[in-house]
């Protein structure tokens, strides 16, 4: 049975209505920057949407590189999500407790491995709780499923690609860090040897695509206005970056709501700032 939906997001009401469907799987992808001093896994244990499994982007990652939560090899991803009970044929609903970080990242990860039946709960756990919906503190019983990955290279960009694009300008690079970090006037939350941004990049802070009160994604028309104000042309290819590849996915999710599929520079500023000779604009 397919429960595919036309929007990349679903409401709490939709999820409540489909929570017992046999092919629906719910994923808690809550993640916090280390500087916040919060334990996402502990918060999951304290209370989560019934049936949700915990997806740790720092664990389901490429552990062979000295960069945070990089996209893992396909076989590692398949084994780890299969162990969580997530397989082909499932409609996966991802949420978090921190303004789409990292539910949008996990949404992108599944699509990067060829699984398009994945959506994000708009407003996350906060919206679920505000509507008075139930939570539980027990993890679901373990159940292994088979996940067969089909890597979608269209959704991923690496350092060499972005470096070549500085000269060619074929793709628009959209940096979603706060404006002060983009300009090199504020420090990064993790150590970086240089500050600034990739030459030619545009700036659309991820916070600009969220409702400031309800922390839901803005309506499509408002998103179009924010995108246009940032100088982004929706008719041209777009690559999104940020500090370490997490909040970039929030803007990619917003662009997908507008019918645009954007790629993610997975290493983002955490990688760019460490590469000798990488050009920087301040």
């Amino acid at each position: 049975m397919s429960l595919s939906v036309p929007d990349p997001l679903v409401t709490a009401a939709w999820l409540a209505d489909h929570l017992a469907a046999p092919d629906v799987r719910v994923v808690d992808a809550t993640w916090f920057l280390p500087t916040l001093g919060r334990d996402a896994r502990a918060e999951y244990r304290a209370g989560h949407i019934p049936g949700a499994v915990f997806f740790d982007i720092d664990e389901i990652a490429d552990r062979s590189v000295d960069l945070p939560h990089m996209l893992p090899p396909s076989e590692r991803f398949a084994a780890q999500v299969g162990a969580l009970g997530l397989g082909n044929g499932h409609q996966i609903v991802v949420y978090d407790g921190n303004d789409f970080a990292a539910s949008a990242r996990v949404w992108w990860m599944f699509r990067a491995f060829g699984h398009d039946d994945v959506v994000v709960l708009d407003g996350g756990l906060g919206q679920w709780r505000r509507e008075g919906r139930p939570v539980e503190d027990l993890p679901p019983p373990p159940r292994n499923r088979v996940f067969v990955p089909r890597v979608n290279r269209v959704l991923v960009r690496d350092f060499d690609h972005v470096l070549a694009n500085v000269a060619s300008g074929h793709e628009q690079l959209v940096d979603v860090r706060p404006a002060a970090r983009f300009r090199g006037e504020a420090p990064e939350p993790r150590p970086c040897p240089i500050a600034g941004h990739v030459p030619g990049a545009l700036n659309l802070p991820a916070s600009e695509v969220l409702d400031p009160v309800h922390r839901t994604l803005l309506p499509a028309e408002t998103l179009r206005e924010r995108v246009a104000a940032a100088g982004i042309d929706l008719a041209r290819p777009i690559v999104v970056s940020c500090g370490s590849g997490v909040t970039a996915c929030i803007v990619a999710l917003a662009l997908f709501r507008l019918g645009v599929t954007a790629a993610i520079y997975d290493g983002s500023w955490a990688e760019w700032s460490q590469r000798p000779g990488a050009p920087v604009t301040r």
Side-chain angles (χ1 to χ4, degrees):
M1 178 175 67
S2 174
L3 294 173
S4 59
V5 292
D7 194 284
L9 292 100
V10 294
T11 63
W14 185 96
L15 180 55
D17 289 342
H18 294 87
L19 200 57
D23 61 342
V24 168
R25 295 292 183 271
V26 184
V27 175
D28 185 319
T30 303
W31 171 85
F32 301 107
L33 280 167
T35 53
L36 295 178
R38 294 176 64 177
D39 185 334
R41 190 179 292 272
E43 294 190 20
Y44 163 80
R45 293 192 185 108
H48 54 265
I49 293 176
V53 295
F54 184 73
F55 189 115
D56 185 346
I57 63 168
D58 289 322
E59 176 62 29
I60 304 178
D62 186 350
R63 309 301 292 275
S64 68
V65 296
D66 189 23
L67 289 168
H69 38 254
M70 290 282 284
L71 202 66
S74 59
E75 62 275 9
R76 178 179 176 89
F77 183 85
Q80 291 185 285
V81 301
L84 290 176
L86 308 173
N88 304 107
H90 285 152
Q91 173 70 68
I92 296 173
V93 182
V94 193
Y95 75 89
D96 64 64
N98 184 30
D99 294 348
F100 292 92
S103 56
R105 170 78 184 185
V106 173
W107 166 83
W108 170 77
M109 291 176 72
F110 272 101
R111 293 175 60 246
F113 287 113
H115 189 90
D116 293 331
D117 288 332
V118 56
V119 291
V120 176
L121 175 61
D122 201 11
L125 184 61
Q127 185 64 30
W128 182 267
R129 289 181 179 274
R130 282 192 292 273
E131 295 184 13
R133 303 190 185 276
V135 296
E136 63 183 17
D137 58 5
L138 295 175
R143 48 184 174 180
N144 289 322
R145 291 297 297 262
V146 174
F147 184 91
V148 179
R150 300 180 302 277
V151 179
N152 185 352
R153 302 290 182 189
V154 173
L155 298 181
V156 187
R157 296 290 183 271
D158 60 17
F159 174 85
D160 291 336
H161 187 108
V162 176
L163 181 62
N165 191 68
V166 172
S168 71
H170 174 67
E171 296 177 323
Q172 301 167 97
L173 181 65
V174 178
D175 189 322
V176 309
R177 292 175 297 159
R181 285 168 56 194
F182 175 80
R183 294 192 298 263
E185 299 169 355
E188 294 293 313
R190 57 175 50 82
C192 291
I194 53 176
H197 59 267
V198 178
L202 303 169
N203 185 217
L204 175 60
S207 60
E208 292 294 308
V209 303
L210 302 181
D211 182 293
V213 176
H214 302 292
R215 314 312 294 171
T216 53
L217 206 64
L218 290 171
E221 284 309 305
T222 308
L223 288 174
R224 289 185 189 280
E225 294 171 2
R226 300 288 172 88
V227 166
I232 301 167
D233 182 354
L234 293 178
R236 292 183 54 214
I238 298 171
V239 177
V240 193
S241 73
C242 59
S244 64
V246 176
T247 55
C249 298
I250 300 173
V251 171
L253 182 68
L255 291 170
F256 197 79
R257 170 169 266 186
L258 300 180
V260 174
T261 298
I264 298 294
Y265 171 29
D266 198 17
S268 286
W269 194 252
E271 178 181 40
W272 191 269
S273 66
Q274 295 181 36
R275 296 295 288 264
V280 173
T281 297
R282 294 190 67 173

